[in-house]
Amino acid sequence: KYTEFLPSLNVSIEFADDAFLRVGAARMLARPRMDQLNPGGGISFDVAKRANTDINASPWSGTVGNARLRPLMAETLDISVEKYFGRGAYISAGGFYKYLENWIYRQSELYDFTGTEVPDGGTTATYLGVVSQWKNGNGGRIYGLEASLSLPFATFASGLDGFGVLASGSYTKSKVREGGAAAIPMPGLSTWVVNSTAYFEKAGFQARVSGRYRSKFLAEVSGLSLARDRFMAKSEFVVDAQIGYTFQDGPLAGLGVLLQGSNLTNEPFVTYYNDDPRQIRDYQNYGRNFMAGITYKF
């Protein structure tokens, strides 16, 4: 059982016409994953190492979850400046800082396996080994900058009504510590992420093309027995597009048709060893994906 106090505050100040300063602060909670809370575990015995007495090469090892894990806790602060102009146009820029009170990671501890049966009934030079368990440990921090833009072209010329662009970008740095080891970036976070969309929407027609870039990042991927392993993943650039039309009048009014294509660049997901992109660990090519749909609005 645990009790956490989670206050939050959001303040918006209009310091000029259609210009706002926004500040948000909060204490936040994220519960551990279910596989981390799993109280079960497993024991391994390596027959080839049965004569070893060095704990670092012991034949015994084990893994176990932890049903008593506490949630991840963080104090967060977000500040942004936003300017609105025209119809649907705006630009914003801001920064964020998140202090992690703790971090969940596997911690290894010495364990005495005395009393555990040797699988083949033979002998072993030692019953000492290492067991790794999910535990709460040191925290870390996440901080960075972000900006976004929405620009309908009709803001500048009525002849371009229906055309527009959307764009956003973020720069993120993160550090978490796992015991006495050197700090690592938080898994799943790229330093740079950029999204952009060009679109046309008018008289029932809609068409848009979107691109997303993210720089390399520390990825959590499935290993043996679906355990999560961490490896660096290469940067990627993914392009998606869609086109559609919704009938505005007549007997087909309300009927819409849509065609979508995702990953048009056929971008692979690539992980590698030792922070060296040449040492490929895994290369996954998902291919392009196309979908067609029909909707009807009464």
Side-chain angles (χ1 to χ4, degrees), residues 217-283:
F217 61 99
L218 182 61
E220 285 189 328
V221 295
S222 295
L224 295 177
S225 302
L226 298 181
R228 296 194 180 190
D229 297 326
R230 293 175 181 171
F231 296 94
M232 290 302 297
K234 284 188 175 182
S235 61
E236 60 184 23
F237 178 67
V238 177
V239 175
D240 303 325
Q242 69 177 46
I243 186 171
Y245 178 71
T246 300
F247 292 90
Q248 304 295 295
D249 49 32
L252 297 180
L255 178 67
V257 292
L258 182 70
L259 176 64
Q260 295 178 321
S262 59
N263 193 23
L264 297 180
T265 50
N266 198 20
E267 192 78 353
F269 178 74
V270 182
T271 56
Y272 53 91
Y273 294 105
N274 304 320
D275 204 22
D276 184 351
R278 298 171 301 178
Q279 299 183 31
I280 301 299
R281 170 194 173 271
D282 188 33
Y283 186 101

Side-chain angles (χ1 to χ4, degrees), residues 96 98 100 140-144 171-177 183-191 218:
F96 56 88
K98 307 178 189 299
L100 304 179
R141 63 183 188 269
I142 306 169
Y143 56 93
Y171 172 81
T172 304
K173 297 293 287 184
S174 63
K175 290 183 179 180
V176 292
R177 290 193 176 275
I184 63 171
M186 190 171 182
L189 293 183
S190 293
T191 301
L218 182 61

Side-chain angles (χ1 to χ4, degrees), residues 43-107:
I43 297 175
S44 297
F45 183 83
D46 189 340
V47 176
K49 297 179 180 179
R50 69 190 321 150
N52 294 345
T53 56
D54 181 1
I55 190 64
N56 295 315
S58 171
W60 298 97
S61 63
T63 59
V64 65
N66 187 352
R68 296 183 179 273
L69 281 176
R70 290 296 183 260
L72 292 172
M73 304 300 303
E75 279 87 40
T76 69
L77 176 65
D78 294 83
I79 300 175
S80 67
V81 177
E82 304 170 359
K83 171 62 178 176
Y84 297 84
F85 53 95
R87 183 179 178 184
Y90 71 87
I91 184 171
S92 69
F96 56 88
Y97 182 89
K98 307 178 189 299
Y99 170 72
L100 304 179
E101 295 181 12
N102 61 2
W103 181 245
I104 296 174
Y105 66 99
R106 280 202 171 278
Q107 300 181 37

